[in-house]
Amino acid sequence: MNRLFIGIEGGATKTEGVLIDEFGKVYATVQGGPSNPWVFGFDNVAKLLKQIIDDLLVKSEVNWEQIVSVGMVLSGAGQIESQSNLRNELQSLNVDTNKVFIGEDLLGPVPNGGVVIIAGTGSNCVVYNGDGSSKRAGGWGHLLGDEGSGYWIAQRAIKRVFDHADNLKLSRHDLTRLSDEIKAYFKIQDMSQLLSYFYKNFQKDFIARFTQVIAELAMNNDDAASQELFKEAGFMLGTHLRAISGHIETKLYDQGTLRVVAVGSVFRSWKFLKPGFTDALSNGNPLPFHKVELAQLTSSAAIGAAIWAARKHDIPLPNVDFSKCFTTLDKIDIMVAKLVALCEYVVVNNFNALLLTQSSTLNTLPVNLKARLFAVLSHRGLLTDDNLPLLLNCRTRTFDFRDCANITDQSLALMARCSLTAQIERKRLQHSVSTQNEIPPHTPTTSVLNPSIIYLRGLQITDYGLSQFVQQYPSLRKIRALHCSHITDESVISIGSHCSRLMELDLTGCIKVTDAGINGLRQLTHLRSLALTQIPITDDSLISIGQSAFHHTLNEINLRMCTEITDDGFLFLLKNCPNLKTIGFIQCPKLTERSRQNLNPHTHQLSYLVWTIPAE
């Protein structure tokens, strides 16, 4: 009978075992639970490993004496101490450890040497050179490392929601969907209930699996906050590769291309990891290789564990071609990425000059490049009425004009004409007048827009521009118009009439908005957050909110410096909006201790409260 070999590969989520012969034929496979000994205990992991060996022998109808070697590559078993402890536990279970070889989980995908990045529940990156040397980056567990892993992404998502709610670090993206999915996944009503999952009943793999939900938000809902989390994870994984780059032997990139094995469920979202991963490789000092080929296993890494152990036992398996167990995930040309980044830098820093000479070229850029330029220019406050038409694209969902002082009604009117409804109507009109050789007015050349969020601040925006915009985009989820002093009730009423899916409205500093405008919001049904800071409203607005269609969905309201509201209006609001969790009423001189005393923590489950009460 052919010589037989066992391979076992395990991590923080599951463990796989396989029994093969010297030609690579698979006789049996077995799956078990997690096997990180530092998390689940050396004694428990040893029992699991013995059970997997026994199950493989039974399924294959062979005995222990027929096994040449056993390779165990496990998460948390990269240190000599770990290997020694595990070996002792196996011996106590009467396992003959003379033919057992124990190593870290990264050995499985590259049993004959190479570079591997793991991004599953945890993360790690290592190179194994032909001379026996190795270099690792990361892999120090969820308290000291795991950057870019499933746990890291999930924890970072939760922390981001907390930081935004606490006003510690405001997110540039809408966190509504992410917050909702956190509550649904962990089956909680309030974010504070998450504490038990992290401090009392901690389960790393359960928290890490929430990353699958974040991935679905990024893919199916085009959620910008979720996509940003994966981009940040990609950057950290690329940084790991950059960290070990100087220790990779040259024969691993003979032709300038380094092959990297990507392992773990996080890589299923490679589309969203790639921008950050590429940025990490293209920024900074030159790397010794020019291209990276990412490969993924199509077979179990346990086969690699069996090959590694056989080699350690001085029995190479030349007839097992492990290279056939891979498929190419992607190929990255680092020099091209550097060139794109350099071009972006040059374009952004010379944008006004390029507008004069290369406007036609900018207008014909691919959608993805337009979206990238749009984001960079908006964050730098460089978007204007003149250059905006060249950069509008269907991929941008968040239109952030908070720092763009030269965006006016002209831009909002143009964007309104780029809505699907407007373009259909324009085509109808064009057809109706075609026999008269007339051209409908205001025909833009941009693609159909699909905005869900718009941010404005201190701009020369009036009711004319904002009303046209909101009328064409009823699917808007978030509107922030900060200190837009020319906006009046007309715009607010238009928002209430057309934006039926609106979830967040911030009118801070819109000093011309009155009770009539707030009353115009009554028919909204999904509104969760409302900021009315510095608006000259009275108790009538609070009564309108309490009687509105969104009185049960509203969980956040900011009434800072609303100097005309009184205890009567505020108490009506509290009584009729039972789900309020975040309330601010600073510098409201007509609110007294009576309002504060009626804040019942058992009724409102408050998670954030800021107030000042005038001294009597």
Side-chain angles (χ1 to χ4, degrees):
M1 185 176 182
N2 296 331
R3 292 179 294 182
L4 301 175
F5 307 83
I6 287 178
I8 299 175
E9 185 269 338
T13 303
K14 60 182 174 61
T15 303
E16 293 183 317
V18 64
L19 190 151
I20 64 172
D21 66 13
E22 57 191 305
F23 297 98
K25 178 182 177 181
V26 177
Y27 287 80
T29 59
V30 172
Q31 276 203 0
S35 55
N36 186 318
W38 292 106
V39 177
F40 300 99
F42 286 89
D43 54 343
N44 293 326
V45 170
K47 292 175 183 176
L48 171 67
L49 296 173
K50 183 181 186 303
Q51 186 63 54
I52 287 177
I53 292 173
D54 291 343
D55 290 346
L56 287 170
L57 296 177
V58 171
K59 289 183 71 173
S60 304
E61 298 182 349
V62 299
N63 56 56
W64 176 250
E65 287 69 28
Q66 294 174 270
I67 305 300
V68 176
S69 62
V70 178
M72 300 177 177
V73 295
L74 311 171
S75 173
Q79 303 81 27
I80 294 177
E81 178 188 359
S82 304
Q83 297 164 10
S84 177
N85 290 342
L86 202 52
R87 189 176 296 277
N88 290 336
E89 292 292 344
L90 288 169
Q91 289 173 351
S92 71
L93 297 173
N94 298 317
V95 175
D96 177 12
T97 58
N98 290 322
K99 49 187 173 183
V100 172
F101 298 86
I102 304 172
E104 60 186 350
D105 52 343
L106 290 94
L107 287 161
V110 284
N112 299 310
V115 179
V116 60
I117 299 177
I118 287 184
T121 301
S123 66
N124 207 339
C125 178
V126 71
V127 55
Y128 300 105
N129 293 315
D131 61 3
S133 64
S134 63
K135 174 64 177 177
R136 64 184 290 153
W140 305 114
H142 66 279
L143 292 178
L144 299 176
D146 276 355
E147 293 87 351
S149 69
Y151 174 83
W152 185 86
I153 295 171
Q155 187 270 350
R156 199 171 179 85
I158 293 167
K159 182 72 165 65
R160 189 149 297 174
V161 173
F162 272 124
D163 286 350
H164 183 80
D166 292 343
N167 207 35
L168 287 173
K169 186 176 181 181
L170 297 179
S171 171
R172 298 190 70 91
H173 302 296
D174 184 8
L175 299 179
T176 303
R177 289 177 179 171
L178 193 57
S179 178
D180 288 346
E181 292 296 343
I182 290 172
K183 293 174 183 176
Y185 180 83
F186 290 95
K187 299 179 180 178
I188 58 175
Q189 298 297 319
D190 187 80
M191 291 292 291
S192 63
Q193 295 173 282
L194 277 172
L195 298 182
S196 63
Y197 286 95
F198 285 84
Y199 300 111
K200 185 178 180 180
N201 302 308
F202 179 73
Q203 295 181 18
K204 180 180 175 181
D205 57 330
F206 176 73
I207 296 171
R209 283 197 295 273
F210 178 63
T211 296
Q212 298 174 12
V213 179
I214 303 174
E216 291 172 3
L217 281 176
M219 178 64 71
N220 301 329
N221 298 97
D222 199 23
D223 184 66
S226 300
Q227 292 173 0
E228 183 179 55
L229 287 164
F230 276 102
K231 181 179 179 180
E232 292 169 356
F235 185 86
M236 295 309 304
L237 295 174
T239 301
H240 281 60
L241 179 58
R242 173 174 279 280
I244 67 167
S245 61
H247 300 269
I248 301 173
E249 60 183 358
T250 55
K251 74 175 186 179
L252 290 178
Y253 51 89
D254 280 340
Q255 307 300 319
T257 299
L258 176 70
R259 189 167 186 262
V260 177
V261 181
V263 180
S265 58
V266 173
F267 282 104
R268 295 173 188 167
S269 301
W270 172 246
K271 173 182 177 181
F272 303 112
L273 293 171
K274 182 176 180 178
F277 190 86
T278 304
D279 285 347
L281 297 183
S282 59
N283 294 325
N285 296 328
L287 296 173
F289 41 87
H290 305 304
K291 297 179 181 179
V292 171
E293 178 187 352
L294 286 168
Q296 287 188 301
L297 271 170
T298 55
S299 299
S300 172
I303 296 176
I307 297 171
W308 170 75
R311 188 163 59 85
K312 294 282 287 185
H313 204 52
D314 294 325
I315 303 176
L317 300 178
N319 294 315
V320 182
D321 188 358
F322 196 54
S323 64
K324 293 182 179 180
C325 298
F326 293 89
T327 185
T328 299
L329 174 64
D330 203 351
K331 295 181 179 180
I332 298 173
D333 191 317
I334 300 173
M335 300 306 295
V336 170
K338 277 183 172 287
L339 182 60
V340 170
L342 178 61
C343 290
E344 180 183 282
Y345 175 83
V346 172
V347 169
V348 169
N349 285 278
N350 298 276
F351 196 72
N352 290 332
L354 288 171
L355 278 176
L356 299 176
T357 59
Q358 300 292 329
S359 60
S360 60
T361 301
L362 292 171
N363 195 39
T364 56
L365 286 174
V367 171
N368 61 323
L369 292 182
K370 282 191 176 185
R372 187 166 177 174
L373 275 177
F374 187 98
V376 174
L377 290 169
S378 67
H379 292 166
R380 294 194 181 192
L382 297 177
L383 289 178
T384 68
D385 288 343
D386 293 330
N387 61 42
L388 182 72
L390 300 176
L391 297 174
L392 290 178
N393 62 91
C394 59
R395 188 167 294 185
T396 297
R397 302 294 301 276
T398 299
F399 290 84
D400 188 349
F401 299 130
R402 284 176 292 183
D403 299 317
C404 303
N406 294 313
I407 292 291
T408 71
D409 287 341
Q410 178 181 328
S411 291
L412 293 185
L414 170 64
M415 293 170 67
R417 294 196 297 273
C418 293
S419 74
L420 179 61
T421 302
Q423 290 203 13
I424 292 174
E425 177 63 16
R426 187 166 55 256
K427 288 181 180 180
R428 185 188 66 80
L429 290 173
Q430 190 173 24
H431 176 74
S432 67
V433 299
S434 60
T435 56
Q436 303 176 30
N437 295 319
E438 295 180 7
I439 300 176
H442 310 301
T443 304
T445 58
T446 53
S447 61
V448 176
L449 303 184
N450 189 26
S452 61
I453 301 171
I454 185 167
Y455 296 150
L456 307 166
R457 180 168 61 191
L459 306 178
Q460 299 301 309
I461 299 295
T462 71
D463 292 331
Y464 169 75
L466 186 55
S467 294
Q468 284 200 50
F469 181 81
V470 299
Q471 287 174 23
Q472 292 297 330
Y473 296 107
S475 61
L476 282 167
R477 310 274 289 187
K478 179 187 290 188
I479 299 173
R480 288 184 182 174
L482 309 179
H483 304 288
C484 294
S485 57
H486 297 288
I487 290 176
T488 72
D489 293 334
E490 179 184 338
S491 289
V492 182
I493 293 171
S494 186
I495 290 171
S497 300
H498 296 92
C499 302
S500 59
R501 298 176 63 186
L502 194 68
M503 302 180 73
E504 180 176 321
L505 178 61
D506 191 339
L507 299 173
T508 295
C510 295
I511 57 177
K512 291 187 178 180
V513 174
T514 70
D515 293 332
I518 306 305
N519 187 60
L521 300 173
R522 291 167 66 111
Q523 62 268 45
L524 296 178
T525 56
H526 296 86
L527 199 63
R528 297 185 179 185
S529 176
L530 182 60
L532 304 176
T533 300
Q534 289 182 282
I535 295 180
I537 58 171
T538 70
D539 288 347
D540 289 344
S541 286
L542 303 187
I543 293 171
S544 293
I545 294 169
Q547 295 175 338
S548 67
F550 61 85
H551 71 107
H552 276 293
T553 64
L554 190 69
N555 58 38
E556 179 179 358
I557 190 166
N558 195 331
L559 302 170
R560 180 180 180 183
M561 300 176 67
C562 293
T563 58
E564 297 302 316
I565 61 174
T566 72
D567 291 334
D568 292 337
F570 188 73
L571 295 179
F572 185 89
L573 177 76
L574 290 180
K575 179 181 178 181
N576 291 279
C577 298
N579 293 311
L580 277 174
K581 294 181 175 63
T582 301
I583 305 174
F585 53 104
I586 297 176
Q587 298 181 46
C588 300
K590 295 185 178 181
L591 292 183
T592 71
E593 184 69 11
R594 179 179 162 216
S595 290
R596 189 193 66 80
Q597 290 176 345
N598 278 273
L599 288 168
N600 188 337
H602 300 291
T603 302
H604 289 91
Q605 299 293 312
L606 296 173
S607 58
Y608 188 77
L609 174 65
V610 179
W611 80 92
T612 56
I613 297 295
E616 295 182 357

